[in-house]
Amino acid sequence: MLIAKPIIGGIVLFLGRELHFLFAAAMAALIGFRLAPLLPSQWPGWYSYVFIGLLAVLAALVPIIHEHLGYVVSGFLAGGYLLVEYYAPGVSTLPLLTFLIGGITGALVLGIFTEWALMIVSSAIGAYYVGSYFALPWMTQILVTSGLFVIGVLTQVVLWYMEKH
């Protein structure tokens, strides 16, 4: 599971807007990774993968079925996850109030600003996960993550511009 987060981050970093359903699935999967240790211990180990997969599939179906509702759901998942990751990084629990506050804020932001917000949020999340995979000094880590963020946003803007023209 250690390699899954940077792989998801890399895909979301460059293709978050283009593959909106994948962004929603990735956010649900990252939340599932945090919730998996809370599953009953008597269940077989592979149930956690089924749980994470089901969350991802359900979240991916929403943008496919209804695009604007997909922005709201993606924003809710991303905002909740980001605030929980900031408030309690690396903890296997999910503080409910923190998740709800971040989720409502994220749903409002992505619901209002749609594609532009999706490009920025997906690039930020992708850059964070790709940059955090490498063990670097903190200043180098900040520079690498910032560079990845800028490259991710520019890539998504160029792809969006090419799609329109």
Side-chain angles (χ1 to χ4, degrees):
M1 283 202 206
L2 289 176
I3 193 73
K5 287 183 181 180
I7 290 173
I8 291 171
I11 293 169
V12 166
L13 173 64
F14 296 111
L15 299 172
R17 187 201 67 83
E18 195 73 25
L19 302 174
H20 181 197
F21 71 95
L22 188 62
F23 174 71
M27 292 314 307
L30 290 172
I31 291 169
F33 280 125
R34 285 188 75 117
L35 293 175
L38 301 175
L39 294 175
S41 60
Q42 62 269 24
W43 286 5
W46 58 272
Y47 272 34
S48 62
Y49 296 113
V50 171
F51 174 71
I52 292 168
L54 283 174
L55 284 178
V57 167
L58 289 174
L61 286 175
V62 175
I64 291 171
I65 294 170
H66 192 273
E67 185 178 13
H68 192 71
L69 183 62
Y71 286 118
V72 174
V73 169
S74 296
F76 182 80
L77 295 173
Y81 184 77
L82 284 174
L83 194 59
V84 165
E85 191 67 24
Y86 176 76
Y87 178 70
V91 179
S92 65
T93 61
L94 195 69
L96 188 59
L97 184 61
T98 307
F99 182 76
L100 289 175
I101 291 170
I104 291 169
T105 304
L108 288 172
V109 168
L110 256 73
I112 293 170
F113 298 110
T114 61
E115 288 186 349
W116 284 101
L118 184 62
M119 285 188 268
I120 292 169
V121 170
S122 66
S123 293
I125 292 170
Y128 171 73
Y129 277 109
V130 172
S132 66
Y133 183 69
F134 304 105
L136 301 170
W138 69 273
M139 183 57 90
T140 309
Q141 181 108 17
I142 291 171
L143 291 173
V144 167
T145 304
S146 301
L148 285 170
F149 171 72
V150 169
I151 291 169
V153 169
L154 288 176
T155 302
Q156 290 190 44
V157 168
V158 166
L159 288 172
W160 182 53
Y161 182 77
M162 288 172 45
E163 184 180 302
K164 285 195 167 231
H165 297 288

